Amino acid sequence: SIYGCPSTSANQLACLRGLDAKDFVISLSDMEKLWSSHVNHTALPSFVPEFGSPLFPVMPFSPVIDGSQNGLLGKPIELIEKGEFMKVPFLFGGNKNEGSIFEPLMGVMVPDFEFPASNDSLNNALSWMINSVENTTIALNLYSEEEFKSVGELINDARAEHVIRDVLFLCSNRRVATQFALQSLPVYLYSFSFDMGPFFNDLDLGNFHTSELPFVFETWTTIFEPIVPNFREMSAIISSRWVNFATCHNPNTCGNTEMDKKFKDIPNWPLFTLSSSSSS
């Protein structure tokens, strides 16, 4: 309705597709002003829409639940819980350090967040993320200073990184996998943890968000192979699991193939189950 398109009519999609792409974006100069206001903790520019994503400007988009067949009928997890989704085998997961590239960006989204994070910055970030005083206190206790004391001066950044990882990725992954298992659907869940080598480890990135994708698709070899130990060997293993799953809905085997023979000694990837909550 913001752009004059009907919210429920069958003509909604055609109307949206008829708009110019520039109607949906802001200019680069406006983006620079926006980032500056966040970094310097000044008032937001007047052009920032009230309907913008809370992650604006790092991720200036968010799902829109419009209730239409052309859009999103409801919250995805609620639709899955009600069984209103495509019931097919599912392979998905996350990475050990999912939050490592997002935590330094908190300063451009969260008021009064500074990097490296102080105790106050961490508290402000969790309050902003969780939006509940009670649950913020619970989170601070769950991700305690004692657990992360070996990190050193970046202790609060490590705590924030792990909260981001679990809240945005790993916990929601397990919730979705649980629903698939409850509805007797094959689901394979992974948590990618691999030694990325000194280059990424020295940058405190580790197994950062999307770092498993070059292994899956065997891409970026000219970049990754010189700096990631055993990249090609691990990439061959991981990509073979994905190929098996895409072909036969089972990452472990697709019958008596040459690929199965080559990787016959690779540990079996178990199904995610309610009793074992297994992931590879």
Side-chain angles (χ1 to χ4, degrees), residues 185-207:
L185 292 169
V187 56
Y188 296 89
L189 182 65
Y190 70 83
S191 180
F192 182 67
S193 178
F194 184 71
D195 183 5
M196 297 292 287
F199 178 82
F200 290 112
N201 293 336
D202 289 347
L203 291 173
D204 292 323
L205 292 176
N207 299 117

Side-chain angles (χ1 to χ4, degrees), residues 23-279:
D23 294 334
F24 296 93
V25 299
I26 62 176
S27 68
L28 181 60
S29 61
D30 281 345
M31 181 64 79
E32 291 173 348
K33 294 175 186 176
L34 181 56
W35 278 70
S36 177
S37 69
H38 279 280
V39 172
N40 297 312
H41 306 298
T42 56
L44 291 176
S46 59
F47 59 79
V48 176
E50 293 182 2
F51 57 86
S53 163
L55 300 180
F56 210 92
V58 175
M59 291 184 179
F61 52 84
S62 63
V64 176
I65 300 172
D66 60 2
S68 77
Q69 292 293 333
N70 295 321
L72 193 56
L73 293 171
K75 292 181 180 179
I77 185 61
E78 293 179 356
L79 295 176
I80 292 173
E81 288 171 347
K82 292 188 292 185
E84 298 175 6
F85 66 102
M86 188 65 69
K87 295 179 174 62
V88 295
F90 196 17
L91 184 155
F92 74 120
N95 299 345
K96 179 181 178 182
N97 305 109
E98 285 280 5
S100 63
I101 62 175
F102 298 110
E103 191 270 337
L105 297 174
M106 295 292 281
V108 298
M109 297 183 291
V110 181
D112 300 320
F113 183 89
E114 298 177 349
F115 181 83
S118 63
N119 285 331
D120 287 341
S121 288
L122 177 63
N123 187 73
N124 291 336
L126 294 187
S127 297
W128 179 84
M129 290 176 61
I130 299 173
N131 198 27
S132 163
V133 174
E134 180 182 358
N135 289 334
T136 296
T137 301
I138 293 173
L140 287 169
N141 291 330
L142 285 174
Y143 301 86
S144 65
E145 290 185 79
E146 178 65 24
E147 182 179 353
F148 293 90
K149 64 181 180 181
S150 62
V151 176
E153 62 177 320
L154 296 179
I155 180 172
N156 287 319
D157 297 284
R159 295 167 73 190
E161 175 191 323
H162 278 71
V163 173
I164 293 170
R165 178 197 69 180
D166 293 345
V167 169
L168 297 184
F169 299 101
L170 300 195
C171 291
S172 55
N173 287 350
R174 297 182 75 82
R175 184 177 177 185
V176 170
T178 297
Q179 286 302 314
F180 269 67
L182 282 170
Q183 299 181 52
S184 302
L185 292 169
V187 56
Y188 296 89
L189 182 65
Y190 70 83
S191 180
F192 182 67
S193 178
F194 184 71
D195 183 5
M196 297 292 287
F199 178 82
F200 290 112
N201 293 336
D202 289 347
L203 291 173
D204 292 323
L205 292 176
N207 299 117
F208 57 92
H209 180 62
T210 74
S211 62
E212 84 277 30
L213 297 185
F215 293 84
V216 174
F217 298 107
E218 296 189 272
T219 53
W220 293 10
T221 54
T222 56
I223 299 174
F224 271 51
E225 193 167 15
I227 58 178
V228 178
N230 303 310
F231 169 75
R232 190 172 291 276
E233 293 84 352
M234 181 53 69
S235 182
I237 294 171
I238 293 178
S239 63
S240 73
R241 305 300 91 178
W242 258 255
V243 168
N244 277 346
F245 181 79
T247 307
C248 302
H249 299 166
N250 185 338
N252 297 299
T253 181
C254 234
N256 188 25
T257 66
E258 290 300 316
M259 190 161 55
D260 286 341
K261 293 176 183 177
K262 181 178 179 180
F263 299 114
K264 60 182 177 62
D265 296 325
I266 299 300
N268 189 68
W269 186 338
L271 278 166
F272 179 93
T273 64
L274 299 176
S275 58
S276 63
S277 296
S278 298
S279 63

Side-chain angles (χ1 to χ4, degrees), residues 2-3 5 15-26 51:
I2 295 169
Y3 293 106
C5 292
C15 178
L16 290 171
R17 286 174 172 170
L19 296 173
D20 196 300
K22 69 175 184 297
D23 294 334
F24 296 93
V25 299
I26 62 176
F51 57 86

